[in-house]
Amino acid sequence: MRSPTPSVFIQGIGAYKPERRLTNDDLSRIVDTSDEWIRTRSGIRERRIAALGESNADLGAAAAAAAIQDAGISREDIDLLIVATVSAEGPVPSTACQIQQKLGLRSGIPAFDIAAACSGFVYLLQIASHMLRAGDYRSALIVATEKLSGITDWQDRATCVLFGDGAGAAVVAKCDEPYVGILGNVLGADGTRGDLLTVSPRTGPKPASVADLPVGTHVIGMNGREIFRNAVRVMSQACRGVLEKCNVPASRLSLIIPHQANLRIIDAIASDLELPLQCFKLNLERVGNTSAASIPLALEEAYREGQIKVGDYILLVAFGGGFTWGATLIKWYQPKTS
Ligand code: ACO
């Protein structure tokens, strides 16, 4: 396989989960649902919810600080910051600029947001890799942060049971070692199916807050069945596409980290790829669907729990509103310490 040069690898990874847990039983006191329905349809038992006053940028900044620390570099070293989110409190200032300010990152570095919904982290890896390889930057900080509680319609049982809050971040850097780190990506989008998942202004009167949950001006709407069908098809194709591009057989994979939308979707992808479910990292039971933050939250957990070793082939795969998709193949790398 043609090795992209120089190699770009994940130097540090961090995550942040808000303290507050919202269980399925808690939700059954808000809408007409049950723990049994939610678990069997989605695999989710509980999700984290940001504290009152905790912003989307606060979640991202906490994950980013952890990633910088894990990389063993100083905040001064970051020379590029890109954030993926669909749940910023407002469009300006960008969440990236807010995180730059909160962490005291160097003034003058570029900082901007992207919106690719649940595919956001995979998009970030590709954008950062190309910007690093182009030679203008040395250490990129990529952050995926979502405060989905702020755009959840707590009166809609079809959606409010699926989502949660959280953030994940990575420091991405170049190295001279050939054929390591981010080996390849495939990204895609199909704007003709934008109707499948939307964040739109709330219609009707704004309800009172329940159980101290935020009541936002915008809410998520979705066509669950169509998302399910398309997610399985497109994520399976993206996995095959990136493996083929990098000339790595599926049998070499140590771990697949899928977007954590729904256990049944992941199960169907495993069947489609003829891989056991044990190859897939799962944490949706405890965090729900955190959109762009979903993959880095699961990646950080796998890394921290020792499920990832140097030389392992790791496949990340996502599908999101837009709709968008992407897959990234990584050969895990850590520079040797002298
Ligand atoms: N509790 C109890 N009953 C419910 C709930 C709930 N929370 N939500 C819906 N129902 C009811 C419906 O009203 C319906 O009742 P009816 O038969 O009397 O009309 C019944 O359950 C079946 O509803 P469906 O929507 O047909 O349920 P389905 O089996 O399709 O499961 C689900 C719904 C879980 C959303 C499924 O379609 C799915 O997993 N889709 C994927 C969506 C997804 O993962 N979205 C995440 C965001 S997108 C992304 O991350 C890429």
Side-chain angles (χ1 to χ4, degrees):
M1 173 219 154
R2 183 173 58 89
S3 172
T5 47
S7 292
V8 171
F9 73 107
I10 293 181
Q11 190 180 10
I13 183 140
Y16 174 74
K17 297 193 223 48
E19 286 290 310
R20 181 177 174 189
R21 292 177 150 86
L22 189 71
T23 65
N24 291 347
D25 285 336
D26 293 333
L27 279 167
S28 71
R29 288 186 277 276
I30 299 169
V31 286
D32 180 14
T33 190
S34 66
D35 173 56
E36 203 267 337
W37 194 97
I38 302 168
R39 265 190 302 103
T40 51
R41 302 292 172 119
S42 72
I44 300 165
R45 284 178 192 269
E46 62 178 31
R47 66 289 294 142
R48 300 297 184 97
I49 302 291
L52 293 175
E54 201 172 25
S55 72
N56 191 39
D58 289 330
L59 309 187
I68 294 170
Q69 190 177 19
D70 184 54
I73 61 171
S74 100
R75 293 182 183 186
E76 277 290 297
D77 296 324
I78 300 297
D79 52 11
L80 170 65
L81 168 59
I82 322 174
V83 172
T85 188
V86 290
S87 50
E89 281 79 5
V92 179
S94 68
T95 304
C97 287
Q98 292 179 57
I99 292 175
Q100 179 190 24
Q101 182 270 329
K102 283 178 191 294
L103 292 185
L105 300 182
R106 244 182 321 121
S107 173
I109 65 166
F112 61 95
D113 291 359
I114 64 150
C118 309
S119 312
F121 190 72
V122 177
Y123 269 63
L124 285 179
L125 284 171
Q126 169 117 319
I127 297 166
S129 303
H130 284 304
M131 291 182 77
L132 289 165
R133 285 195 182 109
D136 293 336
Y137 307 101
R138 283 171 307 152
S139 290
L141 174 61
I142 56 173
V143 185
T145 181
E146 300 289 10
K147 188 179 156 184
L148 298 177
S149 59
I151 52 171
T152 296
D153 182 349
W154 298 107
Q155 294 176 311
D156 177 12
R157 68 177 182 171
T159 55
C160 75
V161 299
L162 300 175
F163 301 105
D165 299 339
V171 173
V172 189
K174 285 182 281 194
C175 68
D176 294 329
E177 184 89 9
Y179 190 66
V180 292
I182 297 160
L183 300 183
N185 311 67
V186 294
L187 297 182
D190 179 0
T192 66
R193 301 314 316 269
D195 58 317
L196 295 189
L197 188 79
T198 53
V199 178
S200 320
R202 175 190 288 285
T203 52
K206 202 170 161 183
S209 164
V210 278
D212 277 344
L213 293 164
V215 181
T217 54
H218 285 61
V219 285
I220 299 171
M222 70 168 197
N223 179 336
R225 290 212 163 168
E226 275 296 290
I227 290 177
F228 194 109
R229 214 171 49 78
N230 283 284
V232 173
R233 179 178 59 82
V234 167
M235 286 166 88
S236 300
Q237 276 170 6
C239 289
R240 288 201 179 87
V242 77
L243 290 171
E244 199 175 308
K245 188 172 170 184
C246 299
N247 199 17
V248 171
S251 58
R252 293 283 300 278
L253 293 173
S254 298
L255 193 64
I256 301 170
I257 303 185
H259 168 49
Q260 310 278 316
N262 188 306
L263 183 57
R264 291 188 304 151
I265 292 178
I266 298 170
D267 213 7
I269 295 167
S271 300
D272 200 277
L273 296 175
E274 297 180 7
L275 289 170
L277 193 58
Q278 288 81 347
C279 289
F280 290 73
K281 172 69 191 171
L282 301 174
N283 71 349
L284 84 172
E285 186 183 30
R286 286 170 282 112
V287 295
N289 180 348
T290 56
S291 190
S294 159
I295 287 181
L297 274 174
L299 176 66
E300 190 268 350
E301 207 175 284
Y303 170 67
R304 195 168 27 77
E305 290 172 354
Q307 292 174 41
I308 299 178
K309 297 182 295 304
V310 171
D312 281 354
Y313 286 95
I314 313 288
L315 177 61
L316 316 181
V317 61
F319 174 85
F323 59 71
T324 58
W325 64 87
T328 300
L329 183 66
I330 298 174
K331 187 175 182 190
W332 201 259
Y333 173 73
Q334 252 163 19
K336 290 186 186 69
T337 46
S338 48

